[in-house]
């Protein structure tokens, strides 16, 4: 598999691959710089005390978190969630820009960045429990806006319906679609060969847990997260490396992004012009505007 195709395959499979040395793995991280680290003491139930980059204990695991900016008035805490195969460094530039006006945090999920490895295969409930523990420490009783890229967006969208008391807004940046396994197997038939066959097989393997987080990405319908503001942003172009199946894959991805609109009656979908999968890297202006807008709407409706 050549370098350019590997990068495409990583993007298609929400940036997660079985093993670290694949081209594209962490490429966005190289374009970002970590926020300045500083030690602070965090305590369950009191948000805003974690500052800089540090390790916290959650569910018996060491989890790497980074927080910057200050809580202001009634504004929610913005929590950035990186894609699969990426650490919080990929969100560093975005976090720095947003923290000028609001408190912003990010974290490495188990198996990513500087956090511990998971004990075994993880489901959405497992990764959700870690997210709850992280939010307890970095946000306390304050509401949050979750802004996730790729797999991070998928997890945020699955988490929000069961945590309506806490999640008051969502921004999904080219989030992994609700039924990727079914979509890819339909778009690329079993009779496919070459790069397309490799892409199909890799996507299925990643979904079955062959990824750094050992996370099972299950196909499922979209549940409502209440009447919260939701902004869904999709890439403009991604699948040119597999021309025979590129149009079908683009339709699959666009259809999946539209499915996420069922999260809320206050959802909207747009395309980030000139962007590939890493929207917050290719078009940070669009990502920043969307997060600031959702945060303002979530503040106004508290």
């Amino acid at each position: 598999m050549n370098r350019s195709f590997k990068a495409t395959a990583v993007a298609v499979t929400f940036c997660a691959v079985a093993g670290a040395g694949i081209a594209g793995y962490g490429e966005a991280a190289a374009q970002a710089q970590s926020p300045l680290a500083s030690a602070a003491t965090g305590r369950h139930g009191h948000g805003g005390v974690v500052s800089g980059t540090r390790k916290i204990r959650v569910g018996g695991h060491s989890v790497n978190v980074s927080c910057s900016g200050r809580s202001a008035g009634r504004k929610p805490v913005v929590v950035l969630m990186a894609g699969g195969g990426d650490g919080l460094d990929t969100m560093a530039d975005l976090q720095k820009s947003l923290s000028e006006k609001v408190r912003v945090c990010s974290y490495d999920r188990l198996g990513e960045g500087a956090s511990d490895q998971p004990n075994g295969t993880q489901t959405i409930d497992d990764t959700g429990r870690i997210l709850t523990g992280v939010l307890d420490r970095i946000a306390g009783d304050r509401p949050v806006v979750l802004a996730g890229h790729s797999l991070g967006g998928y997890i945020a969208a699955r988490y929000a319906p069961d945590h309506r008391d806490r999640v008051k807004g969502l921004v999904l940046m080219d989030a992994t679609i609700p039924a990727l396994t079914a979509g890819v197997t339909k778009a690329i038939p079993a009779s496919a060969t070459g790069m397309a066959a490799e892409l199909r097989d890799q996507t299925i393997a990643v979904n079955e847990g062959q990824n750094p987080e050992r996370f099972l990405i299950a196909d499922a319908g979209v549940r409502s997260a209440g009447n919260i503001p939701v902004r869904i942003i999709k890439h403009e172009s991604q699948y040119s490396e597999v021309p025979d199946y590129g149009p079908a894959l683009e339709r699959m991805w666009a259809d999946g992004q539209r499915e996420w609109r069922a999260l809320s009656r206050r959802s909207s979908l747009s395309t980030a012009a000139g962007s590939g999968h890493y929207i917050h890297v290719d078009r940070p202006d669009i990502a920043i505007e969307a997060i600031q807008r959702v945060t303002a709407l979530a503040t106004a409706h508290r």
Side-chain angles (χ1 to χ4, degrees):
M1 187 184 291
N2 63 40
R3 178 181 175 83
S4 60
F5 177 70
K6 287 176 182 176
T8 299
V10 169
V12 170
T13 55
F14 27 80
C15 321
V17 292
I22 279 254
Y25 181 94
E27 283 183 351
Q31 301 177 41
Q33 295 180 352
S34 299
L36 207 54
S38 63
T41 301
R43 200 152 54 88
H44 175 81
H46 296 273
V49 292
V50 176
S51 179
T53 303
R54 59 163 296 184
K55 302 285 186 67
I56 62 174
R57 298 295 295 179
V58 177
H61 297 280
S62 176
V63 177
N64 191 45
V65 302
S66 174
C67 291
S68 51
R70 294 183 179 181
S71 298
R74 302 189 307 157
K75 286 185 178 181
V77 176
V78 174
V79 180
L80 305 177
M81 302 177 63
D86 289 330
L88 59 80
D89 280 357
T90 65
M91 294 293 185
D93 286 348
L94 184 60
Q95 180 170 328
K96 181 178 180 181
S97 296
L98 291 167
S99 64
E100 295 175 2
K101 296 183 178 180
V102 69
R103 178 166 166 80
V104 190
C105 298
S106 54
Y107 75 107
D108 291 330
R109 294 186 297 275
L110 298 186
E112 306 286 9
S115 289
D116 281 352
Q117 295 296 310
N119 293 331
T121 300
Q122 295 192 92
T123 65
I124 191 64
D125 291 335
D126 297 319
T127 199
R129 280 190 288 271
I130 295 296
L131 176 54
T132 294
V134 169
L135 295 181
D136 287 342
R137 293 290 298 275
I138 64 178
D141 297 329
R142 297 185 70 86
V144 299
V145 166
L146 302 180
H149 167 244
S150 198
L151 182 59
Y154 172 96
I155 292 171
R158 296 297 191 203
Y159 181 84
D162 292 325
H163 298 86
R164 299 187 188 190
D165 59 328
R166 170 170 262 171
V167 181
K168 300 303 180 182
L170 288 170
V171 178
L172 308 182
M173 296 173 282
D174 225 29
T176 299
I177 63 175
L180 182 59
T181 297
V184 167
T185 54
K186 180 179 180 181
I188 305 177
S191 59
T193 59
M195 291 182 179
E198 292 183 49
L199 176 58
R200 183 183 193 273
D201 293 345
Q202 185 183 44
T203 301
I204 294 171
V206 170
N207 289 2
E208 292 176 345
Q210 294 183 40
N211 57 70
E213 300 175 43
R214 300 180 66 182
F215 178 51
L216 296 174
I217 301 98
D219 288 357
V222 179
R223 295 184 299 129
S224 173
N227 195 32
I228 63 173
V230 178
R231 294 293 180 269
I232 303 157
I233 312 169
K234 67 174 289 292
H235 68 253
E236 181 177 53
S237 178
Q238 185 63 49
Y239 298 107
S240 60
E241 300 279 347
V242 280
D244 290 345
Y245 300 98
L249 289 167
E250 287 290 1
R251 287 193 297 272
M252 170 204 77
W253 198 259
D255 289 345
Q257 298 305 310
R258 282 190 288 271
E259 288 180 42
W260 285 129
R261 294 200 63 178
L263 282 163
S264 171
R265 294 187 300 276
R266 296 169 64 200
S267 66
S268 66
L269 170 63
S270 61
T271 299
S275 77
H277 188 53
Y278 280 86
I279 291 170
H280 56 295
V281 174
D282 297 336
R283 290 298 307 271
D285 56 321
I286 291 177
I288 290 168
E289 190 279 331
I291 294 169
Q292 289 178 336
R293 179 60 176 161
V294 167
T295 302
L297 290 171
T299 302
H301 286 82
R302 282 189 62 193

